[in-house]
Amino acid sequence: MQELKEQLEEIFAEAELVSAFGELTLTVDSANIIDTCLKLRDQLAFDTLIDLCGVDYLTYGQSEWAGDVSNSGFSRGRHAQGEKDRHQQRFAVVYHLLSVSKNYRIRVKAFVDEAEPIIKSVTGIWASADWYEREAFDLMGILFENHTDLRRILTDYGFVGHPLRKDFPLIGEVEMRYDEDLGRVVYEKVSIEPNISVPKVIRKG
């Protein structure tokens, strides 16, 4: 990993490179994502995109869970995180790359604008990005410029919103059912009450 780190520092001198937990994360400007990925593929032999996802950093580092509840026998099972947001930008696209020939792995991160979360598609570099980018568009609302078939892949075509965004309601916006009289599926306002599910760990002893 040290050899790869030195190569990355030389090629991407202006980017942020972080080494933690035995992994390298390269954070680049979203405007430079194509140039960055081409260099990673052509100069460092990262020939395989193994994953791509969107990340929502809204309320990252914050928590509404009560930490001091051990007297009741229940614990939220988490560490205190503080109340300040750790990121100035809300959305990021994360790429996980593999060099088969060199057995290198790297994570590449690019933040996108919250009002217009747009970044160029890397399908021309790694064909495997196709459905990953569609998933990030569907669930996070991130747009991939020059993608040839950018449409929803997991939710219905008439679905409203992006369910992996942190401000998306847990019960959703609408519910659907089959109407016998109409002979088709109909959409209606959600009829169930919101329910916040908080994981608990029971401590014995």
Side-chain angles (χ1 to χ4, degrees):
M1 191 174 75
Q2 182 59 35
E3 179 182 351
L4 174 60
K5 183 179 179 182
E6 292 173 358
Q7 292 175 324
L8 290 168
E9 288 174 340
E10 181 179 350
I11 298 172
F12 304 102
E14 311 226 344
E16 177 188 351
L17 182 63
V18 176
S19 175
F21 306 105
E23 298 178 348
L24 291 171
T25 301
L26 183 70
T27 303
V28 300
D29 191 312
S30 61
N32 300 328
I33 192 62
I34 297 299
D35 182 57
T36 298
C37 290
L38 284 172
K39 287 179 179 178
L40 288 167
R41 185 193 67 179
D42 299 337
Q43 296 182 34
L44 296 172
F46 282 100
D47 49 9
T48 306
L49 172 74
I50 58 176
D51 190 26
L52 180 157
C53 63
V55 179
D56 184 357
Y57 283 101
L58 183 69
T59 70
Y60 179 79
Q62 303 175 32
S63 178
E64 296 178 354
W65 294 1
D68 186 19
V69 289
S70 58
N71 291 337
S72 64
F74 294 93
S75 172
R76 304 303 188 195
R78 59 98 179 164
H79 298 289
Q81 300 179 54
E83 299 178 354
K84 293 184 178 179
D85 194 342
R86 299 181 188 178
H87 292 279
Q88 293 181 347
Q89 293 172 281
R90 176 176 174 181
F91 296 113
V93 181
V94 179
Y95 309 78
H96 294 269
L97 308 179
L98 168 67
S99 170
V100 175
S101 60
K102 296 185 177 180
N103 195 26
Y104 285 162
R105 294 177 185 267
I106 189 174
R107 179 188 299 111
V108 178
K109 185 188 299 183
F111 285 90
V112 294
D113 182 65
E114 180 177 353
E116 295 183 346
I118 302 174
I119 192 170
K120 290 184 178 178
S121 170
V122 296
T123 51
I125 302 174
W126 300 289
S128 60
D130 187 355
W131 282 17
Y132 291 138
E133 290 183 349
R134 284 182 59 186
E135 182 182 34
F137 161 69
D138 187 0
L139 302 182
M140 298 292 293
I142 297 172
L143 299 169
F144 293 87
E145 186 180 343
N146 299 326
H147 191 289
T148 58
D149 190 26
L150 194 62
R151 55 195 168 95
R152 291 187 181 272
I153 191 171
L154 293 174
T155 61
D156 187 24
Y157 294 119
F159 192 88
V160 177
H162 305 284
L164 282 190
R165 288 190 175 188
K166 290 186 177 179
D167 54 3
F168 188 85
L170 290 177
I171 60 171
E173 301 283 1
V174 297
E175 62 185 29
M176 56 186 288
R177 64 176 177 84
Y178 182 78
D179 190 294
E180 293 283 354
D181 296 330
L182 296 175
R184 63 178 175 85
V185 172
V186 295
Y187 292 87
E188 300 171 334
K189 187 176 179 181
V190 177
S191 60
I192 62 174
E193 292 293 324
N195 179 33
I196 299 176
S197 177
V198 180
K200 295 182 179 180
V201 178
I202 299 177
R203 292 181 176 173
K204 296 181 180 180

